[in-house]
Amino acid sequence: MKRQWKFIVVLIAGVISLIFEFGLHASTLFVTPILKLQMNPQAIIIDILGIWISVLLLIKIFNDWKSGRYGVDILAVIAIVSTILINNYWAEWMILVMSTGGETLADYATGQASKELRSLLNNTPRIATKLVNGKISEVNVEDLKIGDIVLIKPGQQVPVDGENVKGDSSFDQSSLTGESVPVAKKPGDELMSGSVNGDAAVQMKVTKAAKDSEYQSIVALVKSAQAQPAKFVKMADRYAVPFTIISLIIGGVAWAVSGDATRFAEVMVVASPCPLLIAAPVALVSGMSSMSAHHIIVKSGPTLEKLARAKTFAFDKTGTLTENQLVIDQIIPEGDGLSKEELQSLAASVEQQSSHVIASSLVKATDSSLIKPVTNLKETTAQGVEGDVDGKHVKVGKLSFVAPDHEKIAVTSTAVFVSVDGKFAGYITMMDEIRPETAETIAKLKRQGAEDIMMLTGDHMQVAEKVGKKAGISDIRANLLPAEKIKAIKEVPKDLRPVVMTGDGVNDAPSLTAADVGIAMGAKGATAASESADAVIMVNDLSKVNDAVAISKHTMKVANIDVLTAIGVVIIIELIAFTGVIPAFWGAILQEVVDMITISLGLLAKTKPSNKQFGLEAKCIIFCGKLNKGLKKAQVR
């Protein structure tokens, strides 16, 4: 709680004043020569404190005005000054409690709302058990080097990314991948930092330094999100001018009608802006916390506002709308030389040791019984591989590599060509496999109000159209270079903005930056995409884009309703104070009750909305957006 020290000072001043109130009630220190008011020690203490808080608020107000912002802190200053002038020092003290206590409550509520974010930071692995020549030593995680052997005991976190070299166990990866069931890991399997070991000890070889490991990358993104201050109060500031004017009018009329300045002070006390200032921050931080709980890291509050209003969504194709795994489309032998099965068997056998995505996809798509031993294996970078299978010399790769004299073959998708003993034998085409959740995600985005959904890809139009048809996307832009993707995003009309771009690769980073909101999908480590994005989905699940939009809409609905509720309740209390039935002291206490109501409403943003709420939330956001737009125009005038 960064600001609780002011609240503590106010409370201590109140205790001291109470001692004077009951111990020296009849005493008089002096009579002010100007206002001719009898001043007790407790009044002096509270008045000095009130002047000090007022000066701090005035400095803040002045700085806000210089930056073109018009906040509601002026009402708090007016309330403090009013109670000083009518010598109601206990009402003044309650206003100070309300003002500084409101800040403290906001800090506390923010801390509660962001506990999922903080749990990531608090659970960061710091100590590792290193094995050196059979001896165990405790070392800092940052001191681990690639190749070190680390012992992972039952119940311990994996400190850095590595490879299991000894022992079988299951690991809880829920904080990283969202998988609810522990995953079995045997020697040779990858272990992710942050996952928790089950009931058997294993030994792991370090494959990545701490700063490059998975969990630490997530923590770095969370720290980045916390380091970027969200401009939360701006939402409340949109209502500041009309709220201030209404409150001053009610207070002024109460003074004029009653002929008593005390009535004005009573109205100003209940007009304190604390609930208005608390509402938006608590709701937006709660929304960011809800995002984190769903494995989505949002780097700033404004991202939530833009996501809630987004009208256009753009997606990269490969690795975003589709899997990072290719599937076989067609197997086309040359003439009557080989059967389709034989052609696939020879190609997969030669490719079995290659790490290229096309090679691994081909091998994965081939039955293991068809994959045969290969000898004299040789790989030519960016061209292909060759080797001997069953006494035949097989080449697999580009046409210019396997059969340079063969006439060109027009293909509209990824293809690998095959030659056997120097003779062209045919080719295999590969295609992207659409994610199982893609079509449903696109459909839900449309139901949530998306007016245009684009696919931006560098692939051929024929391939893109196949994916687009399955995904339910009609606006397809193919054969695009990274610069052309940026141009497509920038050319989106103003009435179809904000634009949200989702991608997963390094080549998507410029597009994510160009969009109003960039989402890095399924980011692994501190990639260029995750660094450039406004939000990062930490699991390989496209449906999280839909969740991000749903949570944002729900959060903004809660924030707007909370602000409007705070204003409505405060104005009702002002009208009651207008009649003179609420003394200033009790008016200040009522304000604390309103603060608690406001915080409670704001924390509702942590709950995930159901699909049934989308229509109501969209209407609420449209209404609040129009109201905010009207208030902005009024302020400009």
Side-chain angles (χ1 to χ4, degrees):
M1 297 185 186
K2 299 177 181 178
R3 298 175 289 189
Q4 70 175 10
W5 63 275
K6 288 190 286 185
F7 180 60
I8 293 173
V9 169
V10 171
L11 290 180
I12 292 173
V15 172
I16 295 172
S17 298
L18 279 173
I19 294 172
F20 280 117
E21 181 77 17
F22 292 102
L24 300 171
H25 184 72
S27 66
T28 301
L29 189 62
F30 63 84
V31 176
T32 57
I34 298 176
L35 299 177
K36 304 298 182 184
L37 295 175
Q38 180 173 298
M39 300 292 288
N40 295 321
Q42 57 268 37
I44 296 173
I45 293 171
I46 294 174
D47 284 349
I48 291 174
L49 197 60
I51 293 170
W52 172 60
I53 296 293
S54 296
V55 170
L56 293 179
L57 288 172
L58 287 171
I59 293 172
K60 181 178 180 295
I61 291 168
F62 179 72
N63 291 330
D64 286 345
W65 284 354
K66 285 197 302 182
S67 61
R69 292 173 54 193
Y70 302 92
V72 288
D73 290 315
I74 188 66
L75 288 175
V77 175
I78 293 173
I80 294 170
V81 173
S82 299
T83 50
I84 290 175
L85 293 176
I86 65 172
N87 197 30
N88 193 334
Y89 50 86
W90 283 118
E92 179 190 352
W93 180 75
M94 279 303 303
I95 295 171
L96 298 178
V97 170
M98 179 176 54
S99 179
T100 58
E103 293 177 344
T104 302
L105 283 171
D107 284 341
Y108 173 76
T110 298
Q112 289 297 304
S114 62
K115 63 182 179 181
E116 283 88 359
L117 296 176
R118 288 185 289 109
S119 67
L120 280 173
L121 302 178
N122 295 336
N123 293 328
T124 305
R126 294 179 173 86
I127 301 295
T129 305
K130 183 178 176 181
L131 290 175
V132 181
N133 298 324
K135 295 182 179 180
I136 295 176
S137 61
E138 301 290 328
V139 299
N140 290 327
V141 170
E142 291 77 12
D143 295 332
L144 290 175
K145 296 180 176 61
I146 295 175
D148 285 347
I149 302 299
V150 176
L151 176 66
I152 313 294
K153 298 176 183 179
Q156 282 189 337
Q157 274 189 317
V158 178
V160 294
D161 288 356
E163 177 188 342
N164 184 4
V165 295
K166 185 177 181 181
D168 295 307
S169 187
S170 59
F171 287 79
D172 181 358
Q173 300 181 159
S174 58
S175 64
L176 299 163
T177 65
E179 296 170 284
S180 58
V181 179
V183 179
K185 297 289 185 178
K186 61 183 183 302
D189 288 342
E190 175 190 4
L191 299 180
M192 290 190 292
S193 62
S195 58
V196 180
N197 190 11
D199 53 7
V202 301
Q203 293 181 21
M204 178 192 80
K205 181 173 71 175
V206 175
T207 58
K208 287 185 181 180
K211 63 183 179 65
D212 300 319
S213 292
E214 183 68 19
Y215 195 83
Q216 284 79 357
S217 298
I218 298 174
V219 169
L221 287 168
V222 173
K223 288 181 177 179
S224 173
Q226 291 189 333
Q228 297 186 37
K231 300 174 182 178
F232 289 147
V233 183
K234 281 193 171 181
M235 181 184 296
D237 289 346
R238 295 170 191 165
Y239 303 95
V241 172
F243 178 67
T244 301
I245 292 173
I246 291 172
S247 298
L248 289 174
I249 289 174
I250 293 174
V253 173
W255 187 354
V257 171
S258 65
D260 185 0
T262 302
R263 193 70 58 84
F264 176 80
E266 290 171 350
V267 173
M268 288 300 100
V269 167
V270 298
S272 179
C274 287
L276 196 59
L277 297 175
I278 292 172
V282 173
L284 289 172
V285 173
S286 295
M288 292 177 69
S289 178
S290 179
M291 289 280 202
S292 177
H294 288 82
H295 303 283
I296 307 165
I297 305 297
V298 177
K299 295 183 180 180
S300 68
T303 297
L304 288 173
E305 297 188 56
K306 292 175 185 176
L307 269 174
R309 296 185 291 107
K311 295 181 180 179
T312 299
F313 291 82
F315 292 89
D316 174 53
K317 179 180 72 69
T318 307
T320 303
L321 295 173
T322 63
E323 300 275 13
N324 274 321
Q325 190 77 33
L326 299 172
V327 294
I328 293 176
D329 183 21
Q330 291 179 303
I331 301 175
I332 305 175
E334 177 75 359
D336 298 325
L338 295 173
S339 67
K340 291 183 178 181
E341 185 178 272
E342 290 173 328
L343 183 65
Q344 181 180 352
S345 173
L346 290 173
S349 297
V350 175
E351 293 273 34
Q352 62 184 296
Q353 295 184 33
S354 175
S355 60
H356 194 280
V357 63
I358 296 176
S360 61
S361 298
L362 177 58
V363 172
K364 186 176 181 180
T366 303
D367 190 284
S368 59
S369 64
L370 295 177
I371 299 177
K372 302 175 181 179
V374 57
T375 59
N376 300 321
L377 188 68
K378 180 183 176 182
E379 183 166 359
T380 303
T381 304
Q383 294 296 320
V385 294
E386 57 185 303
D388 296 330
V389 181
D390 283 346
K392 300 182 180 70
H393 187 69
V394 181
K395 281 187 173 183
V396 181
K398 292 183 177 180
L399 182 61
S400 59
F401 173 71
V402 304
D405 297 328
H406 196 281
E407 64 182 55
K408 290 185 177 180
I409 300 175
V411 293
T412 59
S413 59
T414 302
V416 290
F417 298 89
V418 184
S419 69
V420 179
D421 292 331
K423 183 180 178 180
F424 182 68
Y427 62 96
I428 300 172
T429 61
M430 312 286 289
M431 65 177 293
D432 286 338
E433 185 175 18
I434 191 170
R435 291 174 178 272
E437 73 272 16
T438 294
E440 184 180 1
T441 297
I442 300 302
K444 284 185 177 180
L445 287 175
K446 290 177 180 178
R447 290 201 297 270
Q448 290 194 80
E451 297 183 21
D452 185 25
I453 297 180
M454 302 187 295
M455 179 198 298
L456 305 180
T457 179
D459 213 336
H460 300 290
M461 177 58 81
Q462 294 92 331
V463 177
E465 284 179 339
K466 288 181 181 178
V467 174
K469 185 177 181 180
K470 292 180 180 179
I473 300 175
S474 57
D475 188 354
I476 299 169
R477 322 282 179 92
N479 300 305
L480 298 181
L481 297 172
E484 292 173 321
K485 289 184 180 182
I486 293 173
K487 183 180 178 182
I489 291 170
K490 289 185 175 180
E491 288 179 350
V492 173
K494 189 175 181 180
D495 61 339
L496 289 177
R497 303 189 83 95
V499 179
V500 178
M501 172 68 190
T502 304
D504 76 319
V506 173
N507 64 323
D508 296 322
S511 303
L512 298 181
T513 304
D516 297 307
V517 176
I519 300 177
M521 219 286 299
K524 292 287 184 183
T527 64
S530 63
E531 291 294 324
S532 305
D534 300 295
V536 181
I537 296 173
M538 301 310 303
V539 292
N540 196 26
D541 184 356
L542 186 65
S543 68
K544 293 297 179 181
V545 175
N546 178 69
D547 288 345
V549 175
I551 293 170
S552 296
K553 287 181 179 292
H554 178 58
T555 299
M556 297 314 300
K557 182 195 77 168
V558 170
N560 279 288
I561 289 178
D562 202 4
V563 170
L564 292 173
T565 299
I567 290 175
V569 172
V570 169
I571 289 178
I572 290 172
I573 298 175
E574 286 178 17
L575 292 173
I576 296 174
F578 177 94
T579 64
V581 299
I582 304 178
F585 178 82
W586 289 105
I589 292 177
L590 277 176
Q591 271 289 318
E592 288 298 310
V593 175
V594 178
D595 284 351
M596 296 303 298
I597 293 172
T598 301
I599 289 173
S600 299
L601 284 174
L603 290 174
L604 290 177
K606 290 188 69 175
T607 60
K608 183 182 176 181
S610 65
N611 290 335
K612 294 179 180 179
Q613 292 176 286
F614 291 159
L616 176 61
E617 290 175 6
K619 291 177 182 178
C620 176
I621 291 167
I622 292 171
F623 168 75
C624 293
K626 290 180 179 179
L627 181 59
N628 290 337
K629 190 174 181 181
L631 291 173
K632 285 182 180 178
K633 288 182 179 179
Q635 289 183 27
V636 171
R637 292 173 184 171

